[in-house]
Amino acid sequence: MKIFLLAILLVLLPLAFLKLCYAISTIFVLGKTKGALFVSTSRAKIEAILDNLPMEPETRLVDLGCGDGRFLRAAFKRYGVKGVGFEINPWAYFLACLWNLLLRVPVKIKRKNFFKEDLSRYDVIFCYLFPDLLLELSPKLQKEVRVGTIIVSANFPLPGWEPYLILRVEDPIYFYCKRPS
Ligand SMILES: C[S@@+](CC[C@H](N)C(=O)[O-])C[C@H]1O[C@@H](n2cnc3c(N)ncnc32)[C@H](O)[C@@H]1O
């Protein structure tokens, strides 16, 4: 009986610790993320997005709020693209760096608020953010991104932008291209 209890504790304690890390990190950045919690895009969605997003190894790819970095790693695996991810949640940032290290994937993760980044240097921008944040991001993208830049928004549309493609994989995924004004 004692061994059984000990085994349960050995499983439950690490799980409780992981949950605590997640909760503390989430509370820590709540003001900036406007509800965009650290929730990952599913494998099925990522593969469907990449099917519709051919890239060259030199493509400058960014994930705005990259979570554990899985989208960037999948893009590297498929196309050899060395993308960049911005993440302010310390727990997500830690996981992204850890996975990159363990899997030896050379994508860059920066612990930085992406609103402080100049987005004009990227060719492909991926994000999975919540509506309040997209509302703020939309004018920044209009102002900064170059003509021809592709923007992909998972689950929620980018206000004021007209998608050229909407995929439906569990949820809608919106594809935009910056056109000349
Ligand atoms: C819904 S998750 C998506 C994670 C990842 N892109 C994916 O698709 O698996 C959104 C992430 O954006 C991060 N985030 C929100 N606002 C941010 C900001 N201003 N700068 C950097 N990261 C931000 C959150 O911490 C969260 O981890």
Side-chain angles (χ1 to χ4, degrees):
M1 185 65 180
K2 268 188 190 157
I3 290 181
F4 179 67
L5 282 177
L6 192 70
I8 290 188
L9 269 184
L10 282 179
V11 174
L12 288 184
L13 277 181
L15 279 180
F17 174 73
L18 294 180
K19 286 270 175 213
L20 193 68
C21 289
Y22 178 90
I24 291 173
S25 295
T26 302
I27 292 165
F28 186 65
V29 293
L30 211 54
K32 284 185 189 135
T33 57
K34 298 221 161 62
L37 302 175
F38 165 34
V39 184
S40 298
T41 300
S42 72
R43 300 277 164 206
K45 279 186 203 169
I46 290 176
E47 293 310 322
I49 294 167
L50 292 176
D51 287 345
N52 288 275
L53 206 57
M55 286 183 270
E56 302 295 328
E58 349 15 270
T59 302
R60 286 163 299 181
L61 167 71
V62 65
D63 183 346
L64 303 180
C66 66
D68 65 7
R70 62 180 60 194
F71 180 79
L72 296 169
R73 281 191 299 278
F76 174 75
K77 201 169 152 200
R78 174 94 71 108
Y79 298 118
V81 187
K82 292 181 189 154
V84 178
F86 291 93
E87 181 51 67
I88 44 170
N89 180 312
W91 180 239
Y93 171 78
F94 167 74
L95 289 179
C97 295
L98 185 68
W99 280 118
N100 287 351
L101 198 72
L102 292 175
L103 300 172
R104 296 168 185 263
V105 177
V107 302
K108 215 179 258 170
I109 310 293
K110 298 187 180 178
R111 195 158 174 264
K112 180 178 171 186
N113 183 339
F114 57 69
F115 279 102
K116 296 190 175 151
E117 172 74 358
D118 176 5
L119 301 176
S120 65
R121 72 188 66 174
Y122 299 103
D123 307 309
V124 176
I125 298 175
F126 170 70
C127 62
Y128 167 23
L129 300 167
F130 291 0
D132 282 358
L133 213 53
L134 289 171
L135 201 59
E136 255 179 66
L137 182 62
S138 174
K140 177 174 169 67
L141 290 169
Q142 287 287 8
K143 195 170 139 212
E144 291 179 9
V145 301
R146 284 173 292 107
V147 169
T149 301
I150 305 287
I151 302 163
V152 180
S153 177
N155 292 38
F156 302 105
L158 201 49
W161 288 70
E162 197 56 48
Y164 68 85
L165 172 69
I166 304 177
L167 279 184
R168 287 181 199 278
V169 184
E170 299 156 16
D171 304 285
I173 301 163
Y174 302 85
F175 288 68
Y176 305 90
C177 181
K178 175 74 182 275
R179 307 256 175 242
S181 43

